[in-house]
Amino acid sequence: MNRRGQVLVVLLGGVLLSGLLWSCTSGTAGQHADELGEVTAVLDSAPGTVVVHVLRRERTTAWRVDDSGAAVEWIEGEVAAGTPQARQCQQDLCYRVPGDALRVEQSTDGGTTFGTVWQVSGDAYTRLGAKYPRLGDPAQHLSSQSLVVHAVPSGHVVFVADGRDGLLYRDVRGAWHRLGSPDSGEGCCYYEPPPSLAAPSLTGLPPLAGAGTAAVILLLGLVPAARKRAWRGLPVVAAVAALGGLNAGIAATLQDVGMFPGLMYSVPLILAVTAGGGIFAHRLATTDGAPLRRAGTEQAAQPDDAASPVDGHDPQP
């Protein structure tokens, strides 16, 4: 295959890889959101634990979660009974949930006055709802429905059933964590994490991975081209760098799969795209675009000294 054919194959391969990665990331994102399940209730249980109800594929299961926020056991058989509470107190400290929004309120005067201590609202709530397929009524399926407050030796912890967004947990230091929905795979147990609340940004991992990959590929093509002053292949190098950056950016959006983080798949793909694109760009710049010899600049071969005229006489036949 000639040089032009190789270039076309590489560019076409880059475009096809972009389409494949995009379809995979879109598919896994939707599948991941479907697998999250819906945390419909959280109930008080044995000392130091709560029971979390998860609705997944029209079947409700129960999970035991300890005061550290770790899911420790899948409860087989009947779902644990009890009445979910929308408000609970520990002496003068009270928490409540509205039941129609992702919001938790706190009172330090025994429930006389309440203020919001955690919420997802506005554009962030709209973006989050769009990430859950077949959500239904957000006020019912994407809202804080019930909670449990536990006193612990160094303070207190709070568990909140947040519907499709999973289990919300306040640790003893006062930080709130969106844990997701409990699940099990090779062992028990782990959380299927909820989607990120962050808005699209130029400083996120996908843009940085794409820009870094494109820069490496472009550099590997520019350096040898500059040394040889051969610029004919640079448009193709730029195209390869752009495709490589696009593929790396898409690969960086891969979702977690079960207990395995998305970076476990993203990093090898990004490295492979960077290495492959960089090698091709370097080879293209070093073997293509070399200065062409101008016709007629080659000097004609000189005759041998033995065949040169001597003292004005013709050489002997």
Side-chain angles (χ1 to χ4, degrees), residues 249-299:
I250 296 173
T253 64
L254 287 173
Q255 300 288 323
D256 297 347
V257 179
M259 296 181 291
F260 304 103
L263 288 177
M264 188 174 184
Y265 309 95
S266 296
V267 171
L269 280 172
I270 294 171
L271 292 177
V273 168
T274 305
I279 291 171
F280 180 78
H282 183 79
R283 291 187 60 185
L284 183 67
T286 53
T287 61
D288 193 32
L292 297 178
R293 293 178 177 178
R294 295 181 180 178
T297 59
E298 299 254 358
Q299 293 184 354

Side-chain angles (χ1 to χ4, degrees), residues 6-316:
Q6 292 176 0
V7 169
L8 290 176
V9 167
V10 170
L11 294 180
L12 180 59
V15 173
L16 292 177
L17 180 60
S18 299
L20 178 62
L21 286 175
W22 179 257
S23 63
C24 287
T25 54
S26 301
T28 55
Q31 182 180 7
H32 172 77
D34 269 342
E35 291 296 321
L36 285 175
E38 182 173 348
V39 175
T40 57
V42 57
L43 304 170
D44 214 341
S45 183
T49 65
V50 296
V51 172
V52 177
H53 289 181
V54 179
L55 176 64
R56 184 181 283 113
R57 304 186 194 95
E58 300 183 355
R59 177 172 176 264
T60 299
T61 56
W63 304 80
R64 197 176 307 281
V65 176
D66 66 20
D67 281 348
S68 71
V72 296
E73 181 185 9
W74 170 46
I75 304 175
E76 299 186 31
E78 295 294 329
V79 174
T83 302
Q85 303 293 317
R87 167 175 166 164
Q88 276 198 359
C89 298
Q90 292 288 338
Q91 297 180 350
D92 288 338
L93 181 66
C94 299
Y95 286 89
R96 73 181 184 186
V97 291
D100 60 357
L102 283 179
R103 186 171 71 250
V104 182
E105 300 172 352
Q106 181 191 59
S107 171
T108 56
D109 55 12
T112 302
T113 59
F114 281 88
T116 299
V117 290
W118 180 89
Q119 70 174 337
V120 179
S121 60
D123 291 341
Y125 184 81
T126 301
R127 288 194 305 269
L128 182 62
K131 295 178 181 179
Y132 290 105
R134 297 175 292 279
L135 175 62
D137 182 7
Q140 178 182 354
H141 300 287
L142 192 60
S143 61
S144 304
Q145 296 288 331
S146 59
L147 57 79
V148 172
V149 183
H150 275 180
V152 295
S154 51
H156 68 279
V157 295
V158 183
F159 303 86
V160 184
D162 271 352
R164 289 292 297 275
D165 206 49
L167 181 67
L168 176 68
Y169 171 69
R170 178 206 185 268
D171 66 26
V172 72
R173 297 183 302 275
W176 293 88
H177 307 273
R178 298 165 60 236
L179 298 180
S181 58
D183 204 347
S184 62
E186 297 296 330
C188 185
C189 304
Y190 67 93
Y191 287 98
E192 287 284 359
S196 172
L197 293 175
S201 170
L202 293 178
T203 60
L205 178 60
L208 290 178
T213 297
V216 170
I217 294 174
L218 193 60
L219 186 63
L220 289 173
L222 277 175
V223 170
R227 287 177 178 174
K228 297 180 61 176
R229 297 184 180 179
W231 312 108
R232 191 173 60 184
L234 286 188
V236 179
V237 170
V240 172
L243 281 173
L246 175 63
N247 286 319
I250 296 173
T253 64
L254 287 173
Q255 300 288 323
D256 297 347
V257 179
M259 296 181 291
F260 304 103
L263 288 177
M264 188 174 184
Y265 309 95
S266 296
V267 171
L269 280 172
I270 294 171
L271 292 177
V273 168
T274 305
I279 291 171
F280 180 78
H282 183 79
R283 291 187 60 185
L284 183 67
T286 53
T287 61
D288 193 32
L292 297 178
R293 293 178 177 178
R294 295 181 180 178
T297 59
E298 299 254 358
Q299 293 184 354
Q302 295 295 329
D304 295 338
D305 291 341
S308 299
V310 179
D311 298 330
H313 299 287
D314 292 337
Q316 297 295 326

